[in-house]
Amino acid sequence: MTISTFFIEETLNTSFSNHAENVEFDHISIDSRSLQNSATTLFFCLKGQNHDAHEFIASLIFKGVSYFIVEYIPAEFEDKAHFCVVQDSAKALQKMATAYKKAFSIETIGVTGSNGKTIVKEWLNFLLSPDYAIVRSPKSYNSQVGVPLSIFGINEKHNLGIFEAGISEKGEMDALATIIQPNIGVFTHLGTAHDEGFQNTEQKLIEKLKLFKNCKVVILEKNDFVEKHLNCSSFTWSFENKNADVVVLSKEKKEQKTHITLKYQNNSFSIWIPFTEESAVENSLTCIASMLYLGIIPEVIGSRISQLYAVEIRLQAKKGINNCLLIDDSFSSDYQSLKIALDFLDQQKLHQKKTIILSDIFQSGLDPKQLYTNVIKALQNSKIDRIIAIGETISAQLKDLPNVFCFPSTLVFLQQFNTQSFQNETILVKGARNFHFEEIIVLLEEKKHETKLEINLDALTANLNYYKSKLKPETKIMVMVKAFGYGSGGYEIAKHLEHLKVAYLGVAFADEGIELRKAGITLPIMVLNPENSSFNAIIAYNLEPEIYSLNGLKSFLELAKQKNLHQYPIHIKIDTGMHRLGFNTAEIEPLIQLIHQNNLVQVKSIFSHLAASDDVNEKAFTLKQIELFSDAYTIITSAIQYKPTRHILNTSGIFNYAEYQFEMVRLGIGIYGFGNSEEEYKQLENVSTLKSIISQIRSIDAGESISYNRKFIAPKKMNIATIPVGYADGIRRAWGNEKGYVLINQQKATIVGTICMDMLIVDVTNIDCQENDEVIVFGTQPSIVEMAKVIGTIPYEIITGISQRVPRVFYKN
């Protein structure tokens, strides 16, 4: 089935302007930044609390898009494209997806729950793919707009759909249930995620179960509390309840695997699950129950379950060899997720040259010629410079394209692999699991130790949007990326912020701005602490200096005259009480004399810095600062006869004094997930998670000591684990000696003894763990805020102190 203008007009009961013929579309888009937008795109202009896609119609028309679903037609574009006007663009997207889904009579599994939705969906796709032509949600597309976009992936050859649905507040599931229309339900788990959107657990459960209102069955772990709210029959599994349809008779962990014996319909059989973590075992059992319900025999189930793999639902950006940036999407290869990965590649590209390593694409539901015609178009839209095709089918379809290098298998590619053939480029590695592209990742990834700092770009976006929600739509935002992006990574954060269209970036010193320019960042960059000696470099790299003193201004004007500059952008800082940098009241008049009718420079902004915006007890002082700033601004602008942008609010200023946002605000630590009050902190998402592994586990007897200076003496026989992270990585020694802890298999492991330069030691006596198990050093728990309170510092000091020897991995869900 195709999506055409006739179908849209009939579904939405309206019509396109300036239009008569029937036009078909091959791409539905809600993101103006996507490189996949083209003449065959239908674009939905969504309006949200923090964005309005109608503002980007001009850029979309320039890209060739000419058909739009809008809530209003901007007057200047009325005759330049075709517009279908609706009351609510998001609801129109949902209505269209609902009508599109109804055109297909395919078995549909709807997956929901608090945790494990995406993993169960991906595993069911893998486990059932030998028996069905499956369409599924790409990645974790489970939201009010993600679900409709997933539905448009269905075509006539699919006979099973697996779609996940996620909600965060009451009233959201009805729309998703109407769109997905599942006849089989899978409920993964009832946990605490998104509790804040509901009055209680029962209200949240009732809302989630609305997905299953027209299902014939729901598959889940036996749970009387859940089942009493179902309106259909259930098919259950359980470790303990003998009344479940599938009962686990025994469970035993052996060498990174779990051996289980099950009873179903009076027959028992055994299965090896290739995991030991409890949540993975439970998700596996949900998949086993689903397969039994669908009539797959135990022998086949056992064979397929043994091949399960850890699902990586996130696109990750990593440092690669030879100054490359590596985008790791090495466990899936389908057309829908390819388009998502290509956009992420463009968002994160460190170098202009873009390479993709791509395997055969499966489960598209399309014949190879049509599928690879679409793939070629997507690659060309993304301006990929080099394509490495691995697999018999993709090689045959792409071999005649320029700059395509074909290999029949991953093994052949690896045999011919040459590290020097990858230099200063951004590489997307995307392949189906059976191509084992993780072996390619190992070769292309820069070698490092096992500790890494993971940066959640989705959380960064959510935090930006939270502060945006406190501002007027027209207020500009400068985001501070100084100090290596507050420890998170300078370039990668800046690239993401450029993609999110912030107005300015702020750095402390010129060299930070220069690095961003070298990496291709084109946003305006303000240098907040420029030294006079750096003015030449600032001008060379088109950076914009903060001017905070008469001497600095005179030096810059002298250089500007030498270079014959005209209206070079500068920013004037006023000292209103911080007493760190800035012009004081007595210097305002000589400042005006230097800049009045001076065409060498142009004052882009006038600003000041609040000293105590986070302390409500200092409100009178803060308001006095704002008053002094406003007075100085009035005096300066009256003299120069134009009005530069004003900004005084920092992160906590936005939170506590949004009424003084003026034309721009400066967002710093808040975007990285740290508020300066408990109330502010609760609104933010965790961005940074420091992970490591267990290097060694050993037993020690009572009376033995641990680490330097024998600060810890074992009171009894203990099991201890060594973790390869220490104070050289940024973990303060004050966090040791039983004050701090790490998380291993979701359990607290207390740090015993003194933290060493490269290692710390934890008590794992009562924790079921093994060497190479993952360790959370900080993240959601323990949080950096918690660490800061214990050791008597602030989150800024901890996060900016994480050593650059710790690799940063950037990801999007």
Side-chain angles (χ1 to χ4, degrees):
M1 177 181 170
T2 58
I3 298 171
S4 68
T5 50
F6 285 2
F7 169 74
I8 297 161
E9 290 174 337
E10 182 180 358
T11 302
L12 302 181
N13 193 27
T14 184
S15 58
F16 283 94
S17 61
N18 313 313
H19 167 77
E21 61 180 336
N22 190 32
V23 176
E24 295 181 352
F25 305 99
D26 61 16
H27 182 54
I28 308 295
S29 179
I30 62 170
D31 187 352
S32 63
R33 300 158 297 196
S34 172
L35 293 179
Q36 302 308 315
N37 294 323
S38 67
T40 53
T41 294
L42 173 66
F43 191 89
F44 281 77
C45 292
L46 303 186
K47 283 180 67 177
Q49 189 175 14
N50 304 305
H51 63 80
D52 182 355
H54 296 76
E55 298 173 3
F56 307 113
I57 288 174
S59 63
L60 287 160
I61 290 174
F62 180 76
K63 292 178 180 178
V65 179
S66 58
Y67 284 84
F68 297 86
I69 307 294
V70 296
E71 295 180 17
Y72 61 89
I73 304 175
E76 63 269 35
F77 304 117
E78 196 162 353
D79 299 322
K80 296 180 179 177
H82 307 288
F83 298 97
C84 182
V85 182
V86 296
Q87 188 172 358
D88 186 318
S89 297
K91 284 186 168 55
L93 176 68
Q94 294 174 346
K95 188 174 182 180
M96 242 182 67
T98 301
Y100 186 82
K101 174 67 166 58
K102 285 181 178 176
F104 300 92
S105 56
I106 65 172
E107 191 101 287
T108 304
I109 298 174
V111 184
T112 195
S114 298
N115 307 103
K117 297 184 293 294
T118 303
I119 291 171
V120 167
K121 177 204 68 186
E122 291 297 316
W123 281 353
L124 284 176
N125 172 70
F126 169 74
L127 295 165
L128 298 175
S129 58
D131 308 303
Y132 298 90
I134 301 174
V135 59
R136 72 191 191 282
S137 311
K139 300 296 178 183
S140 51
Y141 269 37
N142 60 25
S143 66
Q144 299 292 303
V145 295
V147 168
L149 293 174
S150 301
I151 292 295
F152 292 126
I154 304 173
N155 63 49
E156 287 80 358
K157 294 190 177 180
H158 292 127
N159 57 15
L160 176 64
I162 309 175
F163 301 101
E164 61 174 295
I167 57 170
S168 57
E169 59 186 41
K170 195 170 184 286
E172 290 186 328
M173 190 59 89
D174 278 323
L176 301 185
T178 301
I179 298 167
I180 297 173
Q181 305 157 40
N183 57 321
I184 297 174
V186 172
F187 189 78
T188 59
H189 175 69
L190 183 63
T192 58
H194 301 297
D195 272 357
E196 65 277 5
F198 302 91
Q199 293 177 1
N200 52 50
T201 301
E202 186 169 24
Q203 186 188 63
K204 182 171 73 171
L205 174 65
I206 291 170
E207 181 69 22
K208 287 183 177 293
L209 296 185
K210 287 180 181 178
L211 178 63
F212 308 134
K213 59 187 177 184
N214 294 316
C215 285
K216 57 190 175 184
V217 67
V218 175
I219 300 162
L220 74 160
E221 181 179 7
K222 190 158 187 63
N223 185 317
D224 292 339
F225 177 62
V226 176
E227 289 179 78
K228 78 175 184 178
H229 291 93
L230 289 175
N231 295 320
C232 60
S233 64
S234 60
F235 188 86
T236 61
W237 64 268
S238 178
F239 287 111
E240 300 170 354
N241 195 318
K242 305 303 180 185
N243 294 319
D245 297 282
V246 182
V247 179
V248 181
L249 301 177
S250 66
K251 182 182 73 167
E252 184 181 7
K253 296 180 182 179
K254 289 183 178 179
E255 298 178 353
Q256 305 293 325
K257 297 181 181 180
T258 302
H259 183 261
I260 60 170
T261 302
L262 303 172
K263 183 180 180 182
Y264 173 61
Q265 292 182 341
N266 296 319
N267 294 314
S268 62
F269 58 95
S270 296
I271 287 178
W272 281 98
I273 297 173
F275 307 101
T276 57
E277 187 180 356
E278 289 303 317
S279 61
V281 172
E282 291 169 7
N283 289 332
S284 300
L285 283 162
T286 299
C287 293
I288 291 167
S290 300
M291 296 172 78
L292 288 169
Y293 174 80
L294 291 170
I296 299 175
I297 62 174
E299 291 79 7
V300 172
I301 293 174
S303 173
R304 294 181 189 173
I305 288 289
S306 68
Q307 300 174 57
L308 279 183
Y309 51 93
V311 172
E312 184 52 77
I313 62 175
R314 310 170 307 182
L315 284 159
Q316 298 187 68
K318 308 173 178 178
K319 284 190 176 181
I321 60 173
N322 305 327
N323 197 34
C324 291
L325 181 71
L326 190 60
I327 309 295
D328 183 358
D329 194 14
S330 56
F331 290 99
S332 69
S333 183
D334 59 87
Y335 178 60
Q336 283 181 287
S337 66
L338 172 63
K339 293 189 290 184
I340 297 168
L342 287 170
D343 278 341
F344 186 70
L345 167 64
D346 191 66
Q347 293 165 27
Q348 288 295 310
K349 66 178 185 292
L350 178 59
H351 308 283
Q352 287 304 116
K353 182 179 179 182
K354 294 187 287 187
T355 292
I356 185 171
I357 302 176
L358 186 63
S359 78
D360 286 347
I361 293 175
F362 300 125
Q363 298 175 324
S364 69
L366 303 172
D367 65 77
K369 185 175 181 180
Q370 183 181 354
L371 168 63
Y372 286 100
T373 297
N374 293 344
V375 169
I376 290 168
K377 180 181 177 183
L379 295 173
Q380 290 173 338
N381 286 343
S382 295
K383 298 178 173 58
I384 301 299
D385 298 283
R386 177 171 58 160
I387 302 166
I388 296 174
I390 298 180
E392 300 284 355
T393 304
I394 193 172
S395 295
Q397 296 291 334
L398 270 59
K399 64 181 180 181
D400 295 328
L401 293 179
N403 298 317
V404 172
F405 302 87
C406 298
F407 299 88
S409 67
T410 304
L411 178 61
V412 174
F413 170 78
L414 293 173
Q415 288 172 341
Q416 300 179 28
F417 178 82
N418 178 2
T419 57
Q420 297 309 306
S421 65
F422 296 92
Q423 300 270 351
N424 303 308
E425 57 195 290
T426 306
I427 309 165
L428 170 62
V429 180
K430 183 165 183 58
R433 183 177 178 269
N434 57 341
F435 278 85
H436 299 289
F437 272 17
E438 65 272 18
E439 297 177 24
I440 297 175
I441 293 291
V442 169
L443 292 175
L444 290 176
E445 190 174 2
E446 185 178 75
K447 300 303 179 281
K448 57 187 184 297
H449 68 100
E450 297 290 349
T451 301
K452 60 184 178 181
L453 185 67
E454 293 187 345
I455 310 298
N456 184 341
L457 296 177
D458 291 327
L460 194 89
T461 302
N463 294 337
L464 174 65
N465 286 337
Y466 168 70
Y467 287 102
K468 270 188 177 181
S469 72
K470 303 183 77 65
L471 303 171
K472 298 173 185 176
E474 64 269 21
T475 302
K476 295 182 286 187
I477 298 178
M478 175 189 293
V479 178
M480 311 312 294
V481 292
K482 60 182 181 178
F484 194 52
Y486 283 66
S488 298
Y491 161 75
E492 296 87 353
I493 297 295
K495 187 65 180 175
H496 187 62
L497 293 170
E498 188 169 55
H499 177 69
L500 296 175
K501 300 186 184 299
V502 302
Y504 262 89
L505 299 177
V507 297
F509 299 104
D511 57 351
E512 294 176 319
I514 291 168
E515 288 304 309
L516 295 181
R517 285 283 185 254
K518 287 180 176 178
I521 299 298
T522 59
L523 275 177
I525 299 173
M526 178 174 161
V527 182
L528 284 91
N529 305 326
E531 297 146 324
N532 291 3
S533 60
S534 69
F535 285 157
N536 255 314
I538 283 174
I539 293 168
Y541 284 92
N542 193 29
L543 307 174
E544 301 180 17
E546 168 193 312
I547 301 296
Y548 52 81
S549 70
L550 292 171
N551 286 336
L553 179 55
K554 289 174 184 176
S555 295
F556 193 82
L557 289 173
E558 184 179 335
L559 183 62
K561 187 175 181 179
Q562 292 174 15
K563 292 183 175 292
N564 197 27
L565 299 180
H566 179 69
Q567 293 191 339
Y568 195 90
I570 64 171
H571 302 263
I572 300 297
K573 184 170 188 179
I574 307 298
D575 181 9
T576 57
M578 182 77 170
H579 297 326
R580 190 170 61 179
L581 293 174
F583 291 91
N584 59 38
T585 303
E587 294 173 312
I588 297 297
E589 283 304 323
L591 163 66
I592 290 171
Q593 291 174 17
L594 287 170
I595 61 175
H596 181 46
Q597 295 182 340
N598 188 325
N599 288 325
L600 294 172
V601 296
Q602 182 184 44
V603 180
K604 293 290 286 187
S605 79
I606 300 174
F607 71 104
S608 188
H609 191 67
L610 297 177
S613 60
D614 57 323
D615 189 347
V616 293
N617 295 319
E618 294 288 352
K619 184 174 183 179
F621 181 83
T622 298
L623 293 177
K624 183 63 178 176
Q625 278 195 273
I626 294 170
E627 180 186 350
L628 290 171
F629 171 66
S630 296
D631 291 345
Y633 181 84
T634 300
I635 293 169
I636 295 169
T637 54
S638 296
I640 65 176
Q641 297 185 334
Y642 62 92
K643 292 188 175 182
T645 297
R646 296 172 292 174
H647 49 108
I648 193 170
L649 297 187
N650 51 11
T651 292
S652 289
I654 300 169
F655 185 77
N656 291 319
Y657 299 95
E659 63 269 32
Y660 298 104
Q661 60 193 264
F662 300 123
E663 292 82 39
M664 187 160 73
V665 297
R666 301 187 305 276
L667 180 57
I669 195 72
I671 198 172
Y672 303 100
F674 305 104
N676 287 303
S677 70
E678 188 65 30
E679 183 183 357
E680 184 182 356
Y681 180 63
K682 285 192 294 189
Q683 307 298 322
L684 304 174
E685 295 188 17
N686 178 64
V687 172
S688 304
T689 302
L690 184 63
K691 293 182 176 180
S692 192
I693 63 163
I694 296 175
S695 293
Q696 186 181 43
I697 296 175
R698 65 174 65 200
S699 296
I700 61 170
D701 293 324
E704 291 192 77
S705 61
I706 292 174
S707 193
Y708 289 116
N709 304 119
R710 306 191 71 220
K711 291 289 183 69
F712 180 86
I713 306 296
K716 59 182 179 180
K717 187 176 178 66
M718 297 175 61
N719 292 332
I720 58 172
T722 301
I723 317 299
V725 59
Y727 61 76
D729 300 296
I731 305 304
R732 306 300 171 88
R733 293 176 84 245
W735 184 238
N737 291 310
E738 299 178 90
K739 289 183 179 179
Y741 67 94
V742 300
L743 220 59
I744 298 175
N745 293 333
Q746 302 179 332
Q747 296 182 69
K748 290 184 178 181
T750 301
I751 299 172
V752 288
T754 302
I755 293 175
C756 307
M757 181 182 287
D758 308 302
M759 287 171 278
L760 57 83
I761 302 162
V762 298
D763 178 7
V764 294
T765 305
N766 298 313
I767 298 176
D768 184 6
C769 59
Q770 302 176 51
E771 292 177 1
N772 294 312
D773 277 0
E774 183 178 83
V775 177
I776 306 297
V777 182
F778 64 67
T780 303
Q781 185 188 17
S783 70
I784 288 179
V785 171
E786 180 183 0
M787 293 175 72
K789 285 180 181 177
V790 170
I791 65 178
T793 185
I794 57 175
Y796 297 67
E797 191 172 11
I798 295 175
I799 191 63
T800 59
I802 300 304
S803 169
Q804 291 196 35
R805 82 174 185 179
V806 175
R808 273 68 172 169
V809 176
F810 300 84
Y811 70 90
K812 282 171 65 75
N813 288 323

